Amino acid sequence: MPQAASSEVAAAVAEAHRREWAFVLAATLRVTGDIDTAEEAVQDAYASALSTWGPRGIPKNPGAWLTVTARRRALDMHRRAATAQRALPKLLGPGEYLPDAPGRDGEDITDDRLRLIFTCCHPALAPDAQVALTLRLLCGLSTADVARAFLVPEATIAARITRAKKKIAAARIPYRVPAASELRDRLDGVLSVVYLVYTTGHTAPSGENLMRRDLAERGHELARMLRVLLPGDGDVAGLLALVLLTDARSSARLDEHRELVLMENQDRSKWDRSAITEGVALLREALNLRPPSRFALMAAIAAVHDESNSWSDTDWQEILGLYDLLLEKWPSPVVKLNRAIAVGFAVGHAEGLAELDALGAEPQLARYPYLAAARANFLARLGRFDDVRVAFEEALILTENDTERRYLQSRLSELTG
Amino acid sequence: MSKYLILIFQDDAVTQQADGESISAAYQEFMQRRNGSLLSGAALQPASTATSIRRHGSGGFTVTDGPFAESKETLGGYFLIEAADLDEALEIAKEVPAGVGVEVRRVRVVS
C-alpha cells in the first residue's frame, strides 16, 4: 500500500469511525464478552490507525483492519488480566470464550451488531440509559458528545452509562438477538430509541439551533443500519421511510438568515427529491403489512406533504384519515394535537381550534409550546387578534429553542405593527 | 447458570392467608411447570407482622414494628430460581401469578 498524507489518514479514520464503529465494536465484544474491555481495545485500534495508516498506507478494508487490530489488542489485555487475577469474561461463560475466533461469514457479522443494539435497548435498562448506550456503543460518540447532544452535564451521562453497563454485567443481560416470539416487542423498543435520537436532532428541545444535524444524522444512520440488518422487516422499513421523508424537508426549514420557515411557506424546490423517492418506495413496502405499524403511518403522513406541489394542494382529508388510524395505534397527546391541526385544515379553522381547546386538559401537553402555537395560528386565521397575542405569549414562555423563540417573537411584533 | 431471586409483591390485603391454607391452583401450576428452575421459595406472613431492625452508626440497633419500606405493595413471598441469563429469568418471572407483580434480582456471587 502506498504512503498516505496525514490529512488523508485523518479523513479515512474519521470516515471509518462513522461507518465502522458499531461493526468493529460488536465483533470485538464477541471476543472479550466485556463491554469496557472491548471499548478500550476499539479506541486503541482507531488510535493506532492514525499512526500506522500514514507510513503503511490506508488499508483497502478499514473495517476489517480495525477489527483484527482491536481483537488482538483485546486478547492482549485479556491475557494480562487473566494472568494477574485469573479473571473470566463477564458476559460469556468460560466454555463460550472464543479466543481464536476465525474469520466470520456475513451472517455472523450481522448478528454481532444486532446483538449489540438489542443489548443497548434492553427494556431492563432505563430509557435514557438505552439512548446514551446506543449513541456510545453503536455510534461511537464520546460521553462528552452524548452529553452535548442532550444538553445534560457530562457527569450525568457518564453515571448513566456506567450504571447501565454495571446492570448489564450484574443482572446478566444477555448479548443476543431475542427469540422470534419476543422479537416484535423488543424491536419496538429499539425503533423508539432510534426515532428518539433522530427527532432530538431534527428539532432540538432547547438551545441555540433549531436542529442538531449531527444527532439527526446519527439517527438516520442507525435507521439505515437496522434496515441492512433486518431487510425484510416492515416496521424497520417504516422507520427508515419516516426518517427519509422528514429529513427531505430539512434544508428548507431555515431561511438565509437562519430563521424558521413553517412548512406552509417553505420553498419546496429545496426538498430532497431523491430522499422522497427512496422514502416513498420504502413506505409502500411497509404499508403492505397489515396492520401498518406506527412508523409506517407517520411516514405516510409525511409522504402526503412531501408529494404535494403546494400547501394549498395538500390532501388534508387523507392526512386526517391517517391521523385517525395512527391515534388508534398510538393514542399519545402529541398525536391528538397533530390530528387537531389536521382537522383545522381538512374541516375548518374553527373546528380545529375547538379540538385544540379540548386538549388543554391533557396534563402532558400543559407545558408543550406547540399547543399554544397551533392555537395562535388558528386564532389568527379566524381574525381573533386579541386572543392570538395571549396564545403566542404562552408559546413563547414555553419554548426553550432559540430559533423557535425568535420566530414567535417576530409573529408577535407583526401583530403590534 | 445464575441464581435469581424473584420477589413477589402484592396488596397486603391479599396476603392475609392463614398458615396451612393450601397453595392456590395458579401457583401450583406455575411450580409444576417451572420445577426444573425452582431452587426454593416461600410465602411470607403479612407485612403487618414484619419487624425491622436498623443498625445505628454507634453499633446498637433500633427494632421497630413494620416492614423496612412502607408502601402499598408489600413483599408477599419469593422464589429462588436458576436461569441462564436475565431474559430467561424474566420469562419465568412473568409466569408467577402474583397480584401486583414481581421484582427480579440476580444473586450476587461472593467468595
Side-chain angles (χ1 to χ4, degrees):
Chain A
M1 281 174 284
Q3 286 204 348
S6 63
S7 61
E8 267 179 83
V9 171
V13 172
E15 173 75 1
H17 191 270
R18 210 170 53 81
R19 282 178 179 274
E20 313 273 8
W21 175 278
F23 165 81
V24 180
L25 179 69
T28 309
L29 194 47
R30 178 207 284 269
V31 174
T32 66
D34 164 68
I35 294 173
D36 283 325
T37 315
E39 265 192 297
E40 202 183 324
V42 173
Q43 264 155 7
D44 281 359
Y46 275 92
S48 97
L50 273 176
S51 58
T52 47
W53 286 5
R56 291 201 209 156
I58 296 163
K60 273 211 191 73
N61 184 341
W65 188 96
L66 287 158
T67 305
V68 169
T69 310
R71 283 182 157 190
R72 202 174 288 150
R73 175 85 188 112
L75 286 176
D76 283 350
M77 286 159 69
H78 186 267
R79 261 184 223 116
R80 231 176 301 134
T83 356
Q85 44 179 292
R86 303 266 159 234
L88 288 172
K90 287 175 194 154
L91 282 177
L92 303 175
E96 301 158 281
Y97 176 51
L98 306 165
D100 301 311
R104 301 267 153 193
D105 58 31
E107 262 186 24
D108 281 342
I109 291 165
T110 301
D111 275 2
D112 276 344
R113 275 177 302 177
L114 268 183
R115 271 197 280 271
L116 185 57
I117 194 162
F118 277 107
T119 305
C120 289
C121 300
H122 197 283
L125 300 171
D128 45 13
Q130 295 178 26
V131 174
L133 262 192
T134 301
L135 286 172
R136 174 69 184 263
L137 299 182
L138 277 123
C139 300
L141 258 60
S142 68
T143 309
D145 285 340
V146 179
R148 210 171 302 125
F150 287 93
L151 301 171
V152 175
E154 192 178 336
T156 309
I157 293 286
R160 219 175 261 173
I161 290 176
T162 307
R163 193 177 166 275
K165 284 183 186 166
K166 200 172 164 194
K167 178 152 186 191
I168 290 172
R172 272 196 158 230
I173 289 179
Y175 178 52
R176 71 147 175 265
V177 182
S181 61
E182 46 170 358
L183 188 66
R184 192 74 273 127
D185 281 352
R186 292 283 309 278
L187 184 59
D188 281 349
V190 171
L191 297 176
S192 298
V193 166
V194 173
Y195 185 58
L196 178 65
V197 170
Y198 175 75
T199 48
T200 307
H202 181 71
T203 299
S206 58
E208 204 178 312
N209 297 313
L210 179 66
M211 293 174 261
R212 279 168 198 281
R213 276 319 302 174
D214 56 333
L215 204 54
E217 272 160 28
R218 296 300 186 174
H220 193 147
E221 279 162 19
L222 285 167
R224 210 171 266 291
M225 185 194 293
L226 279 174
R227 169 77 181 166
V228 171
L229 299 176
L230 297 165
D233 190 277
D235 289 354
V236 171
L239 176 70
L240 182 57
L242 174 60
V243 166
L244 283 162
L245 292 167
T246 311
D247 223 34
R249 297 194 292 261
S250 58
S251 57
R253 293 174 73 214
L254 290 173
D255 66 13
E256 63 274 23
H257 309 294
R258 304 194 57 72
E259 298 301 335
L260 182 68
V261 185
L262 294 189
M263 203 202 296
E264 189 175 350
N265 304 318
Q266 282 173 13
D267 175 358
R268 293 178 182 227
S269 70
K270 284 188 184 164
W271 291 0
D272 181 344
R273 289 292 140 195
S274 68
I276 293 172
T277 308
E278 190 189 354
V280 168
L282 281 163
L283 173 62
R284 287 221 180 87
E285 193 181 309
L287 287 177
N288 278 334
L289 279 184
R290 292 280 176 252
S293 72
R294 165 195 166 203
F295 293 113
L297 288 169
M298 290 163 76
I301 293 167
V304 175
H305 284 299
D306 286 5
E307 291 190 309
S308 349
N309 293 319
S310 65
W311 179 256
S312 54
D313 277 355
T314 308
D315 187 346
W316 287 102
Q317 295 298 339
E318 172 81 21
I319 289 179
L320 182 56
L322 288 165
Y323 271 119
D324 285 336
L325 290 175
L326 182 59
L327 201 59
E328 270 173 42
K329 183 151 290 276
W330 195 255
S332 87
V334 174
V335 173
K336 286 183 195 163
L337 169 62
N338 288 322
R339 187 191 162 276
I341 294 172
V343 168
F345 290 108
V347 185
H349 300 330
E351 286 79 0
L353 184 63
E355 297 264 346
L356 288 173
D357 286 342
L359 292 175
E362 291 275 348
Q364 276 178 276
L365 294 179
R367 303 208 45 80
Y368 196 64
Y370 301 113
L371 175 57
R375 285 191 67 247
N377 221 321
F378 285 128
L379 286 164
R381 286 167 197 271
L382 291 164
R384 290 169 53 183
F385 293 109
D386 290 344
D387 299 328
V388 175
R389 178 182 308 283
V390 177
F392 270 132
E393 277 166 356
E394 192 188 335
L396 202 50
I397 290 169
L398 294 176
T399 188
E400 287 179 36
N401 182 293
D402 292 348
T403 307
E404 290 181 338
R405 192 176 287 144
R406 277 199 310 280
Y407 169 80
L408 292 167
Q409 252 150 5
S410 77
R411 292 294 305 265
L412 253 180
S413 52
E414 279 167 27
L415 287 174
T416 326
Chain B
M1 294 298 269
S2 301
K3 290 191 178 75
Y4 289 86
L5 189 65
I6 300 175
L7 303 164
I8 300 160
F9 285 84
Q10 29 202 191
D11 280 335
D12 210 25
V14 188
T15 62
Q16 307 289 341
Q17 261 180 341
D19 274 340
E21 238 174 81
S22 58
I23 305 166
S24 76
Y27 270 98
Q28 278 183 15
E29 199 203 317
F30 164 76
M31 285 156 69
Q32 250 163 27
R33 190 168 52 241
R34 291 301 192 170
N35 186 35
S37 304
L38 297 183
L39 298 173
S40 68
L44 301 179
Q45 294 286 356
S48 56
T49 68
T51 308
S52 300
I53 304 169
R54 245 169 238 278
R55 200 176 279 273
H56 293 192
S58 53
F61 298 96
T62 311
V63 177
T64 47
D65 175 38
F68 213 88
E70 288 285 356
S71 73
K72 204 163 85 41
E73 296 85 21
T74 60
L75 187 61
Y78 71 91
F79 286 110
L80 183 65
I81 63 161
E82 202 162 40
D85 54 39
L86 183 64
D87 279 356
E88 194 192 322
L90 293 180
E91 215 172 283
I92 296 169
K94 279 178 194 160
E95 291 178 12
V96 175
V100 174
V102 301
E103 177 179 320
V104 180
R105 299 264 289 272
R106 184 165 164 233
V107 174
R108 189 143 54 113
V109 181
V110 284
S111 52

